[in-house]
Each structure stands twice: as structure tokens, then as C-alpha cells.
């Protein structure tokens, strides 16, 4: 026997007991409250019967009992007592129905709250997705900036190394140039002084013999000294006005 057949069988038994209990209550006028009606109502609610289904059973019994009575007064009494029985029987069903309505209202409220929460979560998820995308973009920009900074740092270090090498080269070249100029000046001064000394010795010998030749040798000696001075000034990079000033201070050949 499946669940549907079992429920129909229980409903059929409940209907028979309901009919019997209602007839007993209608005949026993001494009882004011139908005690069995409440129990039958609980069974009906347990079987899932609604008020209309129980009302159909109740109506069948009421019609049979009312038609069996000829006087209107008795029929009215039967209808009133049957109404009390029915009102007592449907209390559990109404309570179940009311509970179901309350549960349904609670369920509707929870569904609405759930929908609202779902929308909020969806909105938060969208914001989170946007924020994650933004942070990834920022992270990529930072990584790109870091790579550029590292590249610029490497270039700066390379330029510093090149500049240091260039500076060392310039300093070395300047040192070599100073050494060369120093050697040339030393050699030039030494050669010039030697030549002047030779000329002076010759002048000493010719002084007593030939006055005219003495004058020519003095002129050649002055020319040698002027050329030597010009060479020295060019080596130490004296400006043209300074060179002219130095030349103007040399004694003339006259």
C-alpha cells in the first residue's frame, strides 16, 4: 500500500468516525460541548484536510439528520448544535492553516531578505571585482615603474662609471700634458740659456776686435731670447695681450 492509498484509507475512516460522533452529539442534548469534535479536528489536520473538505463531510451528515426531522424547531436545534460541533472540529485545522500562513509569511519575508542579501552580495562582488582589477592595474603599473626605475638606475650607474673613467682619462691626459710641457720648458730653457751663454762667450772675444760684429751678435742674441720667450708663453697658454706685454718689455736691438 502506497502513501496515497494509506492517506485515503485514513481519511475514509475519519469520515465514518466524524459522521458517528456528530450524530451522537446531535442526539445527546445533555452535552453542551462536543469533546470528540476537537480530537477529530486534530486528526483531520494531521491528514492535511482543509476546512472545505471537512465541511463537505459535515454537510452530508447535517442534511441527512435535518431531512429526517419534520418540525422546523427541531431542525433549527440540529443546525445550531451541528454548528457548534463543526466550529470545534475546525479549530485545529484553522490553527494549522494559520500556522501555515504565518510560516508562509515568514518564508516570504526570509525570501525577500535573502533576495536583498543576494543583491547586496552581488553588488559587493561587483565592487570587489572592480577593486581587484584596479589593484591589479596598479600593481602592474608599479611593476612597470619598478622596471623603469631599475633600468634608469642601471643607466645612471653606467653613466657614473663612464664619467669616472672619462675623468680619470682627462686627469691622466692633463698630467701627461703637464709632464710634456714641463719637459719641453726644461729643454727649451736649458737650450736657450746654453745658446745665450755661447753667444755671450763669443761677444766677449769679439768685443776687443770688431765693434760692428759685436752689435750683430747682440742683435742675434736678443732675437734668440725673444723667440724663446714666445715659445715658453705659447706652452703655458698665456693670452695674446699678456704675450704682447711680455714682448714689449724686451729691450730693442737699437
Amino acid at each position: 500500500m502506497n502513501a496515497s492509498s494509506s492517506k485515503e484509507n485514513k481519511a475514509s475512516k475519519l469520515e465514518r468516525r466524524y459522521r458517528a460522533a456528530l450524530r451522537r452529539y446531535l442526539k445527546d442534548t445533555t452535552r453542551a460541548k462536543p469533546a470528540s469534535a476537537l480530537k477529530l479536528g486534530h486528526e483531520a489536520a494531521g491528514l492535511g484536510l482543509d476546512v472545505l473538505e471537512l465541511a463537505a463531510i459535515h454537510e452530508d451528515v447535517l442534511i441527512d439528520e435535518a431531512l429526517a426531522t419534520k418540525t422546523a424547531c427541531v431542525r433549527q436545534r440540529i443546525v445550531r448544535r451541528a454548528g457548534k460541533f463543526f466550529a470545534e472540529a475546525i479549530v485545529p485545522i484553522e490553527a494549522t492553516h494559520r500556522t501555515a500562513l504565518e510560516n508562509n509569511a515568514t518564508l516570504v519575508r526570509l525570501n525577500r531578505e535573502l533576495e536583498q542579501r543576494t543583491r547586496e552580495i552581488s553588488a559587493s562582488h561587483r565592487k570587489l571585482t572592480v577593486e581587484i582589477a584596479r589593484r591589479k592595474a596598479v600593481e602592474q603599473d608599479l611593476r612597470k615603474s619598478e622596471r623603469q626605475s631599475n633600468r634608469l638606475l642601471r643607466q645612471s650607474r653606467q653613466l657614473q662609471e663612464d664619467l669616472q673613467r672619462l675623468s680619470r682619462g682627462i686627469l691622466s691626459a692633463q698630467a701627461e700634458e703637464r709632464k710634456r710641457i714641463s719637459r719641453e720648458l726644461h729643454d727649451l730653457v736649458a737650450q736657450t740659456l746654453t745658446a745665450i751663454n755661447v753667444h755671450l762667450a763669443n761677444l766677449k772675444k769679439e768685443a776687443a776686435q770688431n765693434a760692428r760684429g759685436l752689435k750683430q751678435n747682440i742683435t742675434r742674441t736678443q732675437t734668440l731670447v725673444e723667440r724663446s720667450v714666445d715659445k715658453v708663453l705659447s706652452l703655458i697658454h698665456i693670452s695674446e695681450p699678456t704675450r704682447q706685454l711680455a714682448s714689449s718689455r724686451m729691450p730693442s736691438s737699437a
Side-chain angles (χ1 to χ4, degrees), residues 175-185 235 237:
E176 292 296 328
E177 182 67 12
R178 284 194 296 269
K179 290 179 181 179
R180 184 187 66 80
I181 293 173
S182 177
R183 287 193 299 268
E184 290 184 3
L185 285 174
L235 287 175
H237 305 290

Side-chain angles (χ1 to χ4, degrees), residues 84-119:
K84 291 181 180 180
F85 191 91
F86 182 73
E88 191 72 14
I90 64 174
V91 169
I93 298 176
E94 289 181 342
T96 303
H97 182 65
R98 184 166 52 252
T99 302
L101 291 177
E102 292 175 354
N103 292 337
N104 185 58
T106 302
L107 181 61
V108 170
R109 179 178 57 80
L110 292 176
N111 285 334
R112 289 176 180 174
E113 292 178 356
L114 180 60
E115 291 176 357
Q116 178 64 26
R117 184 58 178 167
T118 301
R119 288 192 293 268

Side-chain angles (χ1 to χ4, degrees), residues 14-242:
L14 174 65
E15 181 180 354
R16 290 195 296 270
R17 292 205 311 276
Y18 185 89
R19 290 177 179 273
L22 179 57
R23 287 193 175 97
R24 286 195 300 270
Y25 179 72
L26 292 177
K27 291 178 180 180
D28 188 1
T29 58
T30 60
R31 288 187 298 172
K33 187 174 182 179
S36 59
L38 187 61
K39 181 180 178 181
L40 292 170
H42 281 293
E43 293 181 11
L47 291 174
L49 299 180
D50 57 20
V51 175
L52 293 179
E53 290 175 329
L54 190 61
I57 299 173
H58 179 83
E59 185 178 1
D60 291 340
V61 179
L62 181 59
I63 291 174
D64 292 341
E65 294 296 326
L67 290 177
T69 304
K70 297 182 178 180
T71 63
C73 182
V74 176
R75 283 198 296 270
Q76 291 178 357
R77 180 179 59 81
I78 291 174
V79 171
R80 285 196 302 270
R81 287 183 64 82
K84 291 181 180 180
F85 191 91
F86 182 73
E88 191 72 14
I90 64 174
V91 169
I93 298 176
E94 289 181 342
T96 303
H97 182 65
R98 184 166 52 252
T99 302
L101 291 177
E102 292 175 354
N103 292 337
N104 185 58
T106 302
L107 181 61
V108 170
R109 179 178 57 80
L110 292 176
N111 285 334
R112 289 176 180 174
E113 292 178 356
L114 180 60
E115 291 176 357
Q116 178 64 26
R117 184 58 178 167
T118 301
R119 288 192 293 268
E120 292 175 356
I121 292 175
S122 298
S124 299
H125 179 69
R126 288 192 296 269
K127 291 181 180 179
L128 181 60
T129 302
V130 173
E131 180 66 17
I132 290 174
R134 187 188 67 82
R135 292 190 178 184
K136 286 183 178 179
V138 171
E139 184 178 356
Q140 290 177 355
D141 291 340
L142 289 175
R143 288 180 179 176
K144 183 178 179 180
S145 177
E146 183 179 2
R147 289 194 296 269
Q148 291 178 348
S149 298
N150 292 334
R151 179 174 56 82
L152 292 175
L153 181 60
R154 289 193 298 271
Q155 291 178 352
S156 177
R157 289 175 178 173
Q158 185 63 42
L159 290 174
Q160 289 178 357
E161 293 176 358
D162 295 341
L163 182 59
Q164 290 175 356
R165 285 194 296 269
L166 181 60
S167 299
R168 288 193 295 269
I170 292 174
L171 292 175
S172 177
Q174 289 177 345
E176 292 296 328
E177 182 67 12
R178 284 194 296 269
K179 290 179 181 179
R180 184 187 66 80
I181 293 173
S182 177
R183 287 193 299 268
E184 290 184 3
L185 285 174
H186 179 272
D187 294 342
L188 178 62
V189 171
Q191 292 175 3
T192 301
L193 291 176
T194 300
I196 291 174
N197 188 36
V198 172
H199 281 287
L200 290 175
N202 292 331
L203 289 174
K204 185 177 180 180
K205 292 179 181 179
E206 295 178 357
Q209 300 175 3
N210 189 356
R212 184 178 179 181
L214 179 61
K215 184 177 181 179
Q216 291 177 349
N217 284 330
I218 290 174
T219 301
R220 286 197 295 271
T221 301
Q222 288 178 335
T223 302
L224 177 62
V225 172
E226 289 176 355
R227 290 178 179 176
S228 297
V229 170
D230 289 339
K231 181 64 175 178
V232 171
L233 292 176
S234 66
L235 287 175
I236 61 177
H237 305 290
I238 295 181
S239 62
E240 186 62 23
T242 306

